[in-house]
Amino acid sequence: MKRPWLNKRTLSYAGIVAASLVIGIVSGWTSLATQIDDSAYDWMFRLFPPPVTKPHCIILAIDDDTLDAMGSQSEYRTILSTGLELLAAGHPKVVGIDMILTDKAAPTKDERLERAMQATKNLVLVTHLTGQRWENPLPRFGQWAAAVGHDTADEHSNDGVTRQIPLEQRTARERHWALGLEAFRLARGERLLETPEDVQIGNETIPVARTSEANRPLRVLYSPDPKAIPKISIKQLMDSPDKAAQFTGQTVFIGVTSDTATYDRVATPYRTGRIPGVEVHAQLFETLERGLFLIDASALSVVGFCLLTGLLAGLIFALLNGWPAYLSAAALLMAAHVTPFLVFRQGIVFPYLAPMASAWLTVAAAASYQHFVVRRALRASETERKRYQQAIHFVTHEMRTPLTAIQGSSELMGRYNLSEEKRKQMTDMINQESKRLARMIQTFLDVERLSDGQMELKREQFTARELAEACLQRVRPLGERKNIRVSTGELIGVLEGDRELMEYAIYNLMTNAVKYSGPGTEVTVTCRTEGDRVRLSVQDQGIGMDAKELRQIFQKFYRTKRAEASGEQGTGIGLSIVEQIVHHHGGKMEVTSRPGQGSCFTVVLPAHSRASQSPTVAV
């Protein structure tokens, strides 16, 4: 059973919307989409920054003042030893050192640093992954570490902004967690448990799934206040040892903050400058302490949202028209733009480009289709409906003539005592007009049924001469009234088909020729056989047509400007009916014409064996 809604136009519309949707979804996984999504993320991060909370860690900084007081970068071991020794008086809970201690230094310096590490509780050292090789701290230092974490503080983003930190890094043989995560674990005094979907430390669940790179990236919630994490330099601690009390029970991160001594500085979504790597680790620690996390939306949810926007865009322009459709589409576009912001407030990072591109492309495709295809078809349908109504009015007008004659004659016969001869004349006229009216109605209905494929043609043979003479009898009064000579040339050919319909077609061509010709002109009907074809032509000397009009002349309800300007009545349906009749008889129409020099309409039909030739007849 054929579904009425499943048609060619519906399928093409669905195909265009679907193709636009696919392009929108695919565009969300391009490098350009990554840049746009990152910029949108930074903007949303600035609009909705994380709340400012009491800090849970403190930074012991090796700043420019410390380097000026204690020496250059070659004295890092001495500076670090001094810091740990002074820090010991404060009894911090955890100490994380963001400095690579792979290379050996002077024995005295390494021995001093080793003693300081031995005296430090819950010490976390760092390792650095280069390719597939770990740069681990020297064994003499590593033996005193409660944990060794990696120092990666830049996720190698396209624009250099550190938005997330990999909590896990691994090679084939060795795996390390992030420095900030190890410090958090030791501060909580809990074991770390992991699943493919998250990491658990005590009652804290960190929603970081293992990705294809197995690095479990976590977005860092940087504090909007640049001074949210307190910093005390080793120089300040040297000058005021009593400041060590500020580190009591705190998690401490030690690292270089000097602008000139290190290039370990990264950008944040605030884009207000760069911060040292040690502060990034501290910000990761604060993110874990808050227990508030930003989770990336799953690819399935993103695709689902894009599919929903595409479906709604298609339904909007399929069910609505005009301003309601465009207002609904505008609401859909606004929803696609606003959704990433709304879900961001709920802790979900939703990509920006894919939903936006899917919404815009599907809305544009659906709106364009409606405007250029559906609305044009509707306008054409409305125009055809109006012209069809005009045709019906024309047909009813044509029927009034025989009806008026029948009505008038019957009234005369009933009202007056007429002679037998006069009564017989009126009876004959009523009979003829009744038959004419019946033929007119039947022809009109047959053409409509023929167009809809509901009628089979009659199959009978008749000569071109018989067809032309039958039409000439009816056209003769029209020609005489306009002083137009209607003549025939040679009429050779035998046709097969529905004679009544063919008479209607030729009669229509002949009446058009007379109608649009001026007084004193001539209309000629000829027919000849060429091979297996019969060519019956109606030639006039009337107003003619140009090339553009010839291309549209057989369209239903089409009338040329010259025809409308002539003042002759018509609906433009006649030639369309003629062409349908000829087409159903296996033939075709040929037309030649020039403005002001007349037209020649030729009916080309299959020929048959029985031939007939008639002499020239003039009217």
Side-chain angles (χ1 to χ4, degrees):
M1 178 177 173
K2 187 176 179 180
R3 296 176 176 84
W5 52 268
L6 192 60
N7 51 44
K8 183 177 180 181
R9 181 179 297 171
T10 303
L11 292 176
S12 63
Y13 176 69
I16 291 173
V17 174
S20 303
L21 178 60
V22 170
I23 294 174
I25 294 175
V26 171
S27 67
W29 274 265
T30 61
S31 58
L32 175 61
T34 300
Q35 297 176 25
I36 294 175
D37 291 343
D38 286 344
S39 298
Y41 171 82
D42 294 348
W43 184 28
M44 289 185 285
F45 197 92
R46 295 191 294 270
L47 284 177
F48 313 112
V52 177
T53 59
K54 180 182 177 181
H56 299 83
C57 68
I58 187 170
I59 296 176
L60 182 60
I62 302 175
D63 59 0
D64 289 328
D65 292 340
T66 302
L67 291 173
D68 291 342
M70 300 188 67
S72 63
Q73 300 176 30
S74 61
E75 298 297 325
Y76 273 154
R77 299 286 172 90
T78 302
I79 297 171
L80 184 55
S81 299
T82 303
L84 289 175
E85 292 167 354
L86 295 170
L87 191 61
H91 303 288
K93 182 185 292 187
V94 179
V95 177
I97 299 176
D98 183 26
M99 297 179 67
I100 304 298
L101 301 172
T102 302
D103 300 327
K104 294 181 179 180
T108 56
K109 294 180 180 179
D110 283 350
E111 290 174 2
R112 181 185 176 188
L113 180 57
E114 184 181 350
R115 289 193 300 270
M117 288 183 178
Q118 184 180 359
T120 303
K121 181 183 177 181
N122 288 334
L123 177 66
V124 183
L125 299 181
V126 295
T127 180
H128 182 73
L129 182 61
T130 303
Q132 291 296 310
R133 185 176 66 86
W134 288 102
E135 296 180 6
N136 291 320
L138 292 173
R140 67 185 305 174
F141 302 139
Q143 65 178 325
W144 307 114
V148 176
H150 71 75
D151 67 341
T152 302
D154 185 352
E155 97 261 25
H156 305 292
S157 62
N158 295 326
D159 55 1
V161 177
T162 298
R163 300 177 180 87
Q164 56 189 14
I165 288 180
L167 294 190
E168 175 187 2
Q169 281 195 323
R170 66 170 62 204
T171 60
R173 296 183 178 182
E174 192 173 358
R175 189 260 306 265
H176 289 285
W177 297 101
L179 172 61
L181 180 62
E182 290 287 15
F184 177 73
R185 177 180 65 83
L186 292 173
R188 289 294 179 96
E190 301 283 353
R191 294 178 58 190
L192 186 149
L193 301 176
E194 60 175 314
T195 68
E197 290 77 28
D198 55 44
V199 171
Q200 297 178 14
I201 298 177
N203 59 1
E204 183 75 62
T205 300
I206 307 169
V208 282
R210 180 171 291 160
T211 62
S212 57
E213 294 83 10
N215 58 10
R216 297 184 185 268
L218 177 68
R219 294 186 180 269
V220 181
L221 298 183
Y222 296 94
S223 175
D225 183 4
K227 298 181 180 180
I229 300 178
K231 299 182 184 68
I232 296 177
S233 69
I234 295 178
K235 175 64 168 59
Q236 290 174 323
L237 193 58
M238 290 171 58
D239 295 340
S240 303
D242 59 324
K243 288 184 179 291
Q246 298 183 33
F247 296 93
T248 301
Q250 294 286 329
T251 296
V252 181
F253 290 93
I254 305 175
V256 179
T257 61
S258 171
D259 292 334
T260 58
T262 181
Y263 294 101
D264 182 21
R265 306 184 71 83
V266 296
T268 70
Y270 293 115
R271 298 177 182 265
T272 56
R274 293 179 175 270
I275 63 175
V278 65
E279 187 172 346
V280 177
H281 295 300
Q283 293 281 5
L284 172 60
F285 179 86
E286 292 293 340
T287 301
L288 296 172
E289 282 286 356
R290 288 192 192 95
L292 301 175
F293 305 102
L294 287 175
I295 305 171
D296 287 341
S298 66
L300 184 61
S301 65
V302 175
V303 173
F305 184 83
C306 293
L307 290 175
L308 179 62
T309 58
L311 177 62
L312 290 176
L315 290 176
I316 285 172
F317 287 96
L319 302 177
L320 301 176
N321 293 308
W323 283 112
Y326 290 108
L327 288 176
S328 300
L332 177 62
L333 293 175
M334 183 176 295
H337 283 271
V338 171
T339 295
F341 292 86
L342 296 178
V343 298
F344 187 87
R345 297 295 302 273
Q346 306 302 317
I348 300 175
V349 179
F350 206 79
Y352 188 76
L353 182 65
M356 181 190 69
S358 299
W360 274 101
L361 289 176
T362 52
V363 165
S368 299
Y369 189 91
Q370 185 191 73
H371 181 76
F372 293 107
V373 178
V374 177
R375 293 185 65 181
R376 183 173 61 186
L378 289 174
R379 287 194 296 268
S381 176
E382 182 65 18
T383 301
E384 184 171 343
R385 185 185 66 82
K386 291 180 179 179
R387 289 182 176 178
Y388 189 79
Q389 290 177 342
Q390 294 175 357
I392 295 298
H393 293 161
F394 172 74
V395 170
T396 55
H397 176 76
E398 291 293 312
M399 291 179 179
R400 286 178 185 151
T401 301
L403 285 175
T404 301
I406 293 172
Q407 182 180 5
S409 298
S410 61
E411 287 181 356
L412 289 174
M413 292 175 65
R415 182 175 300 177
Y416 300 103
N417 187 17
L418 302 177
S419 64
E420 187 64 26
E421 181 180 358
K422 194 66 174 178
R423 183 180 293 275
K424 186 176 183 303
Q425 288 179 355
M426 290 188 177
T427 302
D428 291 341
M429 185 181 66
I430 291 174
N431 184 47
Q432 292 176 3
E433 292 297 325
S434 299
K435 291 179 179 179
R436 177 187 169 193
L437 179 60
R439 285 195 304 269
M440 186 183 300
I441 295 173
Q442 188 61 45
T443 299
F444 185 79
L445 294 176
D446 287 348
V447 170
E448 290 300 307
R449 291 170 60 195
L450 193 63
S451 300
D452 292 337
Q454 300 177 3
M455 174 183 173
E456 292 185 3
L457 293 172
K458 297 178 183 177
R459 290 297 175 185
E460 55 183 322
Q461 288 192 355
F462 49 92
T463 65
R465 175 186 176 185
E466 294 169 344
L467 185 65
E469 287 183 346
C471 295
L472 281 172
Q473 294 298 322
R474 297 166 59 188
V475 175
R476 181 185 296 116
L478 297 177
E480 290 176 349
R481 283 199 293 268
K482 295 188 66 175
N483 192 25
I484 294 175
R485 176 182 172 83
V486 182
S487 64
T488 62
E490 62 177 359
L491 294 171
I492 300 175
V494 177
L495 307 174
E496 183 180 76
D498 193 313
R499 177 168 177 169
E500 289 186 8
L501 290 179
M502 287 305 303
E503 279 189 14
Y504 178 88
I506 302 306
Y507 173 75
N508 189 285
L509 294 177
M510 294 174 67
T511 54
N512 277 352
V514 173
K515 186 186 297 185
Y516 298 113
S517 296
T521 59
E522 183 176 4
V523 173
T524 305
V525 181
T526 59
C527 184
R528 66 181 186 275
T529 301
E530 293 182 356
D532 61 346
R533 293 284 173 177
V534 173
R535 301 176 61 87
L536 195 157
S537 301
V538 178
Q539 173 79 50
D540 65 56
Q541 299 172 345
I543 58 179
M545 295 170 287
D546 57 29
K548 181 179 179 181
E549 291 171 329
L550 284 178
R551 288 193 294 268
Q552 305 178 72
I553 192 64
F554 292 110
Q555 292 181 9
K556 190 177 289 187
F557 308 120
Y558 176 77
R559 297 192 72 200
T560 66
K561 293 182 179 179
R562 293 179 180 84
E564 292 177 344
S566 68
E568 294 285 352
Q569 292 185 350
T571 63
I573 195 175
L575 289 178
S576 173
I577 294 176
V578 170
E579 197 222 10
Q580 292 180 51
I581 293 173
V582 174
H583 173 75
H584 285 341
H585 279 79
K588 63 178 181 178
M589 293 295 303
E590 294 180 357
V591 186
T592 58
S593 182
R594 295 183 65 182
Q597 299 184 23
S599 305
C600 180
F601 285 79
T602 301
V603 177
V604 183
L605 294 169
H608 290 271
S609 59
R610 185 166 63 91
S612 175
Q613 182 174 358
S614 66
T616 300
V617 180
V619 180

